[in-house]
Amino acid sequence: MSDDLPTAIIPATPSLEYLRRFTAARVALGRAGAGLPTKAHLQFTLDHARARDAVWSAVDMAALEAAVRDRGLAAARVRSRAGDRATYVRRPDLGRELAPDDLAGLRALGTAKIAVIIADGLSAAAVEANALAVIDALRSSLAIDAVVLAEQGRVAIGDPIGSALGADLVIVLIGERPGLSAADSLGCYITYKPRPGTPDSRRNCVSNIRRGGLEIADAAYKIAWLAREALQRELTGIELKEESGAALEAETRALLIDEP
C-alpha cells in the first residue's frame, strides 16, 4: 500500500461546506482518490433508489378518493388509456387520453366550473405528500366544484376531463419527474377551457411544490392568483404572466398603511 494513500482523501473545503447549506444540489462532495467519499456515494445510491421508487410506486387512489369525499367535495376516479405502469412509462401519448369506459362516470358528476385533477404522473410520493394539502390551501380562496383522480395520467389528461365536465378551468396536480435531490415534487398546470388537443403553450405551470421547495401556502397563493386572473381574462398560457408576487406586495403594503 502506498505511503501517500492517506493524503488522497480530500474532503470539501470549509468554505464549500458552508455554501452547501444553501442548496440541495450535489456539489462540493469531496473525493477519495478518483472517486466519491463513501458517504456521498451511499447518499447517491439512496437518492437514486428513492427516485425509482417514486416512478414505479402506485398512488392509493381509493384512500385519496375517500379523503376528498370526506372534505365534502364531489369526486370521481378515471384511468388513462395506458393500462399499466410499464405502458405508461413507454407510451406518454396514452397517458394523455381518457379511457373510453370512464367517460360516462365522469359525466355523472355534472358540470364543474373549476375542476381539480389529481394525476399520479411520475411520482406517487409527490401526490401522496402534497396533493391534499394543496387542495385544502386552495379552498380558502377558490370554489372547487369537483375533484377527479386520474390513474396513469399525464398533464394533458386534464383536457378530455375538463371537456366532459364543461369546465371553465382545470387545475391538474401531478407528480413531477423525480430528480436526485427531490423525489416528492408536485407540479400544477392550469388551463382555461381545456379541450382535447390543447397545446402546452395554453397552460400555466407552478412547479416544485414540496417541503424544501415551493411551500404549500406559497404555491396555493400563486395557483389561486392564476386561476382568478384566468377566469377574468378568459385565457391561460403564454399570454398570462405569473405576477402574484407583485399582488402580494401590494396587499401587504395596503395592510401596513391601514394599521393605526
Side-chain angles (χ1 to χ4, degrees):
M1 182 177 294
S2 169
D3 292 340
D4 296 334
L5 185 57
T7 60
I9 301 174
I10 303 173
T13 64
S15 60
L16 290 177
E17 287 283 1
Y18 173 77
L19 292 174
R20 285 183 59 201
R21 295 172 17 183
F22 300 99
T23 177
R26 206 172 298 277
V27 297
L29 301 177
R31 62 185 172 89
L36 287 171
T38 301
K39 181 180 179 181
H41 175 72
L42 292 176
Q43 187 63 51
F44 174 85
T45 55
L46 175 62
D47 290 342
H48 188 252
R50 284 174 173 159
R52 289 180 60 87
D53 283 351
V55 171
W56 290 99
S57 297
V59 175
D60 186 345
M61 289 294 186
L64 198 54
E65 181 183 17
V68 169
R69 292 186 186 278
D70 285 346
R71 285 162 168 76
L73 292 167
R77 287 172 61 184
V78 299
R79 299 158 298 159
S80 76
R81 289 188 60 212
D84 54 55
R85 200 62 176 165
T87 304
Y88 173 84
V89 171
R90 289 195 301 265
R91 292 287 306 273
D93 56 321
L94 297 182
R96 301 179 186 115
E97 299 178 16
L98 187 63
D101 293 345
D102 290 344
L103 192 57
L106 187 60
R107 285 176 172 157
L109 283 176
T111 301
K113 181 178 180 181
I114 299 179
V116 173
I117 318 299
I118 302 177
D120 40 13
L122 286 166
S123 175
V127 171
E128 295 191 334
N130 302 303
L132 286 175
V134 171
I135 288 176
D136 289 341
L138 282 175
R139 293 184 70 191
S140 62
S141 51
L142 277 185
I144 298 172
D145 298 303
V147 177
V148 179
L149 299 100
E151 296 180 44
Q152 316 295 358
R154 302 270 177 177
V155 171
I157 200 168
D159 298 341
I161 293 173
S163 179
L165 295 174
D168 287 342
L169 195 75
V170 156
I171 300 171
V172 177
L173 303 177
I174 187 167
E176 293 182 337
R177 185 186 306 277
L180 289 175
S181 59
D184 60 348
S185 184
L186 190 75
C188 173
Y189 293 81
I190 304 161
T191 310
Y192 179 74
K193 286 193 179 299
R195 297 292 182 270
T198 297
D200 287 341
S201 59
R202 283 196 51 213
R203 312 187 201 282
N204 287 89
C205 177
V206 177
S207 183
N208 195 31
I209 305 169
R210 64 181 176 87
R211 180 177 295 179
L214 181 62
E215 297 292 338
I216 298 291
D218 295 334
Y221 185 85
K222 289 176 180 289
I223 295 166
W225 185 90
L226 283 166
R228 289 193 296 270
E229 293 296 317
L231 291 170
Q232 182 178 346
R233 304 185 199 182
E234 300 185 344
L235 54 84
T236 46
I238 57 176
E239 295 180 277
L240 176 59
K241 304 302 180 187
E242 199 277 290
E243 297 172 331
S244 62
L248 179 60
E249 185 178 341
E251 291 174 13
T252 304
R253 191 182 307 115
L255 284 173
L256 291 174
I257 291 172
D258 289 342
E259 284 184 357

